[in-house]
Amino acid sequence: MNIQASGRTAAGLALDGRAPEPARPLSTNGYLSGAAVLALLTIVLCYGLAGATLPAGQPLRVLLGIVLPAAVVGGPLLVAFRRSKLSDQEWETGDHVSARVSAARSRNASIASLGLTGFIAVVSLAGLLVFTNDGAVQKTFFNGGFMAKSAVDIGRALLINVEIAVGAQFLAMVFGLVLAIGRLLPGTGFWPVRALSIAYIDVFRGIPSVVLIYLVCFGLPLTEVPILSEGDPIVYAIVALALTYSAYNAELYRAGIESINKSQTSAALSMGLSQPDVLRFVILPQMSRNIAAPMLSTFIGLQKDTALVIVVGIIDAFSQAKIYSANDFNLSAVTAVCFLFVLITIPQTRLVDYLLARSSTRKRGI
């Protein structure tokens, strides 16, 4: 019944000789409305920020708070509105292709306006929070005088953090590789080694780093065991962090080794290579490329955890900043430590992105 009705309808359209009405372009009203509301909110925030930073009655307050933001955010919004109107006119005149193109351009301009105004709104809101109430937040956390006063001593103390991070990462990478190989040893004869490796990884991944630092740095000297109890606190901190992060690195190594097709191991063994040679010349080189980015991400986390050594009295960057903050009754020195850590980690995060992109390109064969 339905098929016959459909056939009659199609035949009727064909006999009538009229083509079906084409669908109108997607509406841009939602984009335009959202962009207009966000633009208005952005102008309000910019005016509030100008009022918090500039004295009343100055022309710059109106210029920077209303005129300049309106000109910046209004440009893409005006383009989007004009493209939308043009799309409606072209549709009414029967130029359907041009109408769809104009509608698409209107949506693109609206999205660009949303992105630009959203960025300006977030920056303005952050600035308003910092400079409101006579700049109370700025004076407490971002006082340039206190930052400059403590910068030299904090920079020197930061070398302690770098020393701990590099030493702990080296030990964690070596010991983590041993743990990963021990966990992957085949055969029933190696089950005790596998069980021990798994137990270590599970236990030390579950212990908070700050607790382990406290136990190692305060506990080993109390044992009065020769050599073990006579170490430097920085060495104890390196060992404590290495114990924790070797467990994480072991899982990275294991994932990297297991990502390599087992046929490569079989082919290498069939060519006469021994198992250690297969691991050295076939598995480890490929594994290193696969886990380079995740390993660097773990190292970034290790760098931040070096600030935990404050609990055992090591004068690192954070400890030095706390001394200045206590003397000045101001936290700008601690904010300076945050900036230094960010400056150290940002290049590394960009390197991680590059390594991930290169690995993805290699896998696609481009």
Side-chain angles (χ1 to χ4, degrees):
M1 182 74 66
N2 293 334
I3 297 176
Q4 293 176 356
S6 300
R8 287 197 300 268
T9 303
L13 289 174
L15 292 175
D16 192 30
R18 290 183 300 176
E21 182 70 18
R24 294 184 66 89
L26 294 177
S27 176
T28 60
N29 293 333
Y31 293 97
L32 288 172
S33 300
V37 171
L38 187 57
L40 181 61
L41 176 62
T42 301
I43 294 174
V44 172
L45 290 174
C46 289
Y47 184 73
L49 177 60
T53 55
L54 298 174
Q58 284 196 1
L60 281 178
R61 189 170 181 176
V62 177
L63 177 63
L64 298 179
I66 297 178
V67 178
L68 183 61
V72 172
V73 303
L77 186 60
L78 181 61
V79 172
F81 180 77
R82 293 178 59 183
R83 291 291 183 182
S84 178
K85 290 298 182 182
L86 180 60
S87 175
D88 294 337
Q89 295 174 2
E90 291 171 339
W91 183 265
E92 295 299 330
T93 59
D95 192 356
H96 297 158
V97 175
S98 298
R100 295 183 187 279
V101 172
S102 298
R105 291 176 177 174
S106 175
R107 285 192 298 273
N108 293 337
S110 299
I111 293 172
S113 176
L114 286 170
L116 178 62
T117 53
F119 171 78
I120 297 176
V122 170
V123 173
S124 300
L125 180 60
L128 188 60
L129 292 175
V130 170
F131 293 103
T132 191
N133 193 22
D134 196 24
V137 175
Q138 184 269 331
K139 294 175 182 177
T140 303
F141 296 99
F142 304 100
N143 190 301
F146 289 124
M147 287 184 177
K149 175 183 176 182
S150 60
V152 176
D153 289 334
I154 290 176
R156 291 172 181 170
L158 185 66
L159 297 177
I160 302 297
N161 296 87
V162 175
E163 179 183 351
I164 294 173
V166 173
Q169 179 68 5
F170 176 77
L171 294 178
M173 291 179 66
V174 174
F175 191 36
L177 181 60
V178 173
L179 290 171
I181 295 175
R183 182 169 182 173
L184 296 174
L185 287 175
T188 56
F190 285 112
W191 75 263
V193 179
R194 292 196 299 270
L196 185 61
S197 299
I198 293 173
Y200 179 93
I201 293 170
D202 291 343
V203 169
F204 280 89
R205 283 201 304 172
I207 300 176
S209 298
V210 64
V211 176
L212 199 58
I213 291 172
Y214 191 88
L215 289 174
V216 172
C217 293
F218 284 147
L220 288 182
L222 292 176
T223 61
E224 297 183 356
V225 176
I227 301 177
L228 287 180
S229 61
E230 301 170 358
D232 186 89
I234 294 178
V235 176
Y236 288 145
I238 291 174
V239 172
L241 288 173
L243 290 174
T244 298
Y245 277 87
S246 60
Y248 291 102
N249 290 344
E251 290 298 278
L252 289 179
Y253 284 129
R254 183 175 67 89
I257 292 173
E258 291 181 342
S259 67
I260 300 171
N261 198 304
K262 295 185 182 299
S263 62
Q264 298 193 35
T265 301
S266 301
L269 291 173
S270 67
M271 295 175 63
L273 294 178
S274 62
Q275 190 70 42
D277 287 339
V278 173
L279 185 65
R280 177 184 176 186
F281 296 110
V282 179
I283 303 299
L284 292 184
Q286 298 182 71
M287 176 209 66
S288 301
R289 291 194 296 268
N290 292 340
I291 69 170
M295 184 67 72
L296 187 54
S297 296
T298 304
F299 179 53
I300 293 173
L302 172 58
Q303 293 175 56
K304 294 185 291 184
D305 277 355
T306 58
L308 298 175
V309 300
I310 190 176
V311 300
V312 294
I314 297 176
I315 306 299
D316 70 325
F318 183 35
S319 302
Q320 190 67 58
K322 280 194 64 179
I323 295 173
Y324 274 96
S325 297
N327 292 334
D328 300 330
F329 297 100
N330 191 279
L331 295 176
S332 298
V334 179
T335 305
V337 175
C338 298
F339 287 151
L340 289 177
F341 272 100
V342 169
L343 289 176
I344 292 175
T345 56
I346 282 181
Q348 298 176 67
T349 54
R350 297 288 74 79
L351 180 58
V352 169
D353 295 339
Y354 167 74
L355 292 175
L356 289 173
R358 189 179 68 173
S359 177
S360 177
T361 302
R362 184 186 296 111
K363 289 179 180 179
R364 293 197 305 264
I366 300 177

